């Protein structure tokens, strides 16, 4: 899987670089703590390993020696469940899921609903006709509706849902067919052009900071995109996350994915704020976006406009369902992609009677590491060949990659190692925020963050 990821990223096929993996357990796979009927642990090691290999390549491209790359598989497994281990002042950091975000039986199968955000929760209730007893009345109303019809109704109401399908049904549908054969991700190196050179890392940067001095603008939300930029921050990049001021992130996800980043608020519907954003982009090395395809175009962030205004800029764009096919404009989350693509069917613990789930939100986390890997490879090509590269990733494409590596024999499932073994608490104005530290080492130097999560919107929208 690591070779497949590296090939998708158009990494040099003859590169002898290797990844040293330690911490495996048993015959079930290198990352056995993420065991199950699919190669979840192997996906975790492969995607994290791809990011580390791309980081080492960037270190060399910026004039350094080639670092030795290593990762502990048990550490990766804990990092892929990082949201479970966040603590604030020793206590809980909040719930990860709203009770409405669950599988429920329909008239002809199952459906996964999503209500973590208030507007998505309200959309589900609208699609069900505003049950008079609120969420308590949802199961009975869902049970009376066919799954796909209810899925369509929730989407039409502005919400998120996915009927349970098996892998064959997914591939037979229009969206699965649109993605089949597309591969894990798109990576377009672009044409060589005159771009500002990438300087060597600033003095004082360690071997584990090959991205030091580089600027990453983070226009992502929820888990996958913020995980990717969290990795880049751990590699030394200056990451500025930009959000709309009235669209607060869930507290748990903010704390989990916020270490190492600054945070600014901009309202892109405001012309002055759009101009501020484009001034930021003038000095940005990589723009990472995590919104539905086309939704940022009205703000001057379409590929054509970006190429014209900011020809030096590398981009990585994330979507749930891909940038082609009838579902390209749908909202989506890891749990919904697991349901629609057939992962939840394959992961069933009782032969398909009830849906199952992966042992981690591996589509989110795996795609996040692929985002980081794509950004690092783009920076390498800019340093070596003056190319502005562009990558596209999607949760559904990561899901289809994972399904290609399933088998009929469930892997053994030992418990995850103690999270405390891999925890850190960098200084944060939000209290003592304990999080899982980033996995991997470069030349024996562990990755890490200089600071913990900040107060949302507490930074000015400027580069230091």
């Amino acid at each position: 899987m690591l070779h497949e990821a590296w090939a998708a990223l158009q990494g040099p096929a003859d590169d002898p670089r290797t990844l040293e993996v330690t911490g495996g357990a048993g015959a079930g796979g290198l990352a056995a703590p993420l065991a199950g009927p699919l190669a979840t642990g192997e996906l975790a090691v492969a995607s994290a390993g791809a990011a580390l290999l791309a980081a080492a390549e960037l270190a060399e491209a910026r004039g350094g020696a080639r670092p030795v790359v290593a990762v502990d598989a048990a550490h990766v497994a804990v990092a892929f469940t990082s949201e479970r281990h966040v603590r604030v002042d020793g206590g809980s950091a909040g719930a990860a899921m709203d009770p409405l975000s669950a599988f429920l039986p329909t008239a002809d199968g199952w459906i996964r609903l999503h209500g973590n955000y208030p507007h998505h929760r309200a959309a589900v209730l609208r699609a069900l006709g505003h049950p008079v007893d609120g969420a308590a009345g949802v199961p009975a109303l869902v049970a009376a509706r066919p799954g796909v019809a209810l899925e369509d109704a929730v989407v039409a109401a502005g919400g998120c849902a996915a009927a349970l399908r098996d892998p064959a049904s997914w591939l037979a549908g229009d969206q699965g067919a649109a993605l089949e054969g597309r591969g894990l991700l798109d990576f377009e190196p672009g044409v060589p052009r005159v771009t500002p050179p990438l300087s060597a890392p600033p003095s004082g940067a360690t071997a584990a900071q090959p991205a030091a001095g580089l600027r990453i603008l983070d226009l992502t939300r929820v888990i996958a995109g913020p995980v990717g930029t969290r990795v880049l921050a751990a590699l030394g990049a200056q990451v500025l996350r930009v959000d709309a001021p009235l669209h607060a992130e869930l507290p748990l996800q903010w704390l989990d994915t916020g270490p190492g980043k600054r945070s600014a608020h901009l309202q892109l519907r405001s012309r002055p704020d759009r101009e501020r954003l484009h001034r930021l982009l003038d000095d940005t090395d990589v723009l990472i976006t995590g919104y539905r395809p086309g939704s940022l175009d009205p703000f001057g962030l379409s590929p054509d406009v970006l190429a014209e205004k900011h020809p030096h800029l590398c981009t990585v764009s994330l979507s749930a369902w891909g940038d082609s096919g009838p579902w390209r404009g749908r909202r989506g989350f890891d749990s919904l992609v697991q349901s629609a693509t057939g992962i939840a069917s394959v992961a069933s613990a009782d032969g398909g009677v009830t849906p199952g789930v992966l042992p981690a939100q591996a589509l989110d986390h795996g795609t996040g590491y692929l985002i980081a890997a794509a950004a690092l490879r783009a920076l390498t090509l800019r340093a070596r060949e003056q190319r502005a590269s562009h990558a596209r990733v999607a949760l559904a494409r990561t899901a289809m990659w994972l399904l290609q590596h399933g088998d009929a024999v469930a892997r053994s499932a030992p418990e995850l190692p103690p999270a405390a073994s891999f925890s850190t608490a960098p200084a944060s104005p939000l209290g003592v925020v304990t999080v899982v530290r980033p996995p991997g080492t470069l030349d024996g130097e562990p990755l890490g963050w200089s600071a913990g999560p900040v107060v949302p919107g507490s930074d000015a929208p400027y580069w230091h």
Side-chain angles (χ1 to χ4, degrees):
M1 293 183 80
L2 177 58
H3 284 288
E4 291 171 4
W6 191 246
L9 292 160
Q10 296 191 25
D14 58 350
D15 193 332
R17 196 181 323 273
T18 58
L19 175 72
E20 179 185 352
V21 182
T22 60
L30 286 170
L34 297 181
L38 294 168
T40 309
E42 288 82 350
L43 177 146
V45 171
S47 54
L52 290 167
L53 290 178
E57 184 188 37
L58 177 62
E60 195 173 18
R62 297 183 77 189
R66 174 179 298 194
V68 176
V69 185
V71 71
D72 182 288
H75 190 169
V76 172
V78 174
F80 264 58
T81 60
S82 59
E83 63 276 0
R84 302 178 194 173
H85 308 299
V86 181
R87 298 291 181 268
V88 179
D89 297 330
S92 170
M97 290 285 184
D98 184 272
L100 196 62
S101 297
F103 275 109
L104 291 174
T106 64
D108 58 354
W110 292 82
I111 193 169
R112 178 82 190 210
L113 303 177
H114 196 279
N116 287 1
Y117 292 89
H119 56 297
H120 293 160
R121 193 173 192 276
V124 171
L125 298 180
R126 282 198 304 273
L128 290 169
H130 296 285
V132 293
D133 47 359
V138 166
L141 292 173
V142 169
R145 305 275 289 273
V148 172
L150 180 55
E151 170 189 280
D152 290 339
V154 171
V155 170
C160 313
L164 179 68
R165 295 165 173 82
D166 60 29
S169 299
W170 164 253
L171 292 176
D174 290 341
Q175 189 60 32
L179 297 181
E180 190 174 16
R182 287 283 304 274
L184 175 57
L185 54 86
D186 295 326
F187 188 87
E188 300 171 356
V191 297
R193 65 178 75 205
V194 177
T195 60
L198 288 186
S199 60
S203 61
T206 70
Q209 297 176 315
L214 301 179
R215 293 167 170 174
I216 311 295
L217 193 63
D218 178 1
L219 269 63
T220 70
R221 291 175 58 79
V222 198
I223 298 178
V227 163
T229 53
R230 181 181 71 182
V231 173
L232 294 169
L235 291 163
Q238 184 182 167
V239 177
L240 177 63
R241 174 167 167 167
V242 173
D243 292 275
L246 300 179
H247 290 80
E249 183 60 275
L250 298 177
L252 175 61
Q253 292 171 0
W254 181 266
L255 296 170
D256 180 41
T257 62
K261 305 178 188 178
R262 296 164 56 229
S263 166
H265 282 164
L266 290 175
Q267 175 51 264
L268 297 187
R269 298 186 188 281
S270 156
R271 182 173 179 177
D273 278 7
R274 285 200 304 276
E275 292 174 347
R276 289 189 185 94
L277 180 74
H278 281 279
R279 287 197 295 271
L280 274 172
L281 290 173
D282 287 338
D283 296 313
T284 295
D285 295 299
V286 183
L287 169 66
I288 300 178
T289 61
Y291 292 81
R292 289 171 293 156
S295 61
L296 295 177
D297 291 2
F299 310 121
L301 297 174
S302 68
D304 290 344
V305 172
L306 287 173
E308 179 183 351
K309 287 187 173 182
H310 313 286
H312 70 286
L313 187 66
C314 299
T315 64
V316 184
S317 61
L318 160 73
S319 63
W321 304 106
D323 62 329
S324 62
W327 288 25
R328 67 185 299 271
R330 285 195 182 190
R331 299 170 175 87
F333 298 89
D334 181 305
S335 58
L336 303 184
V337 176
Q338 287 192 44
S339 181
T341 60
I343 286 176
S345 175
V346 175
S348 172
D350 53 17
V353 177
T354 56
V357 295
L358 295 175
Q361 293 191 80
L363 307 183
D364 269 330
H365 286 269
T367 304
Y369 281 92
L370 293 172
I371 287 169
L376 294 162
R377 285 239 66 238
L379 289 165
T380 291
L381 290 182
R382 184 177 151 196
R384 288 177 171 167
E385 304 174 16
Q386 293 191 303
R387 296 176 184 268
S389 303
H390 309 287
R392 292 183 296 274
V393 300
L395 300 182
R397 294 174 75 170
T398 304
M400 294 169 73
W401 183 44
L402 179 59
L403 283 165
Q404 293 169 7
H405 291 275
D407 56 45
V409 180
R411 295 161 169 81
S412 58
E415 295 183 1
L416 285 171
S421 305
F422 306 110
S423 294
T424 184
S428 169
L430 299 173
V432 180
V433 181
T434 303
V435 295
V436 178
R437 68 179 188 271
T441 62
L442 298 178
D443 274 351
E445 292 280 347
L447 278 61
W449 302 288
S450 60
V454 300
V455 176
S458 58
D459 292 290
Y462 303 105
W463 292 117
H464 286 163

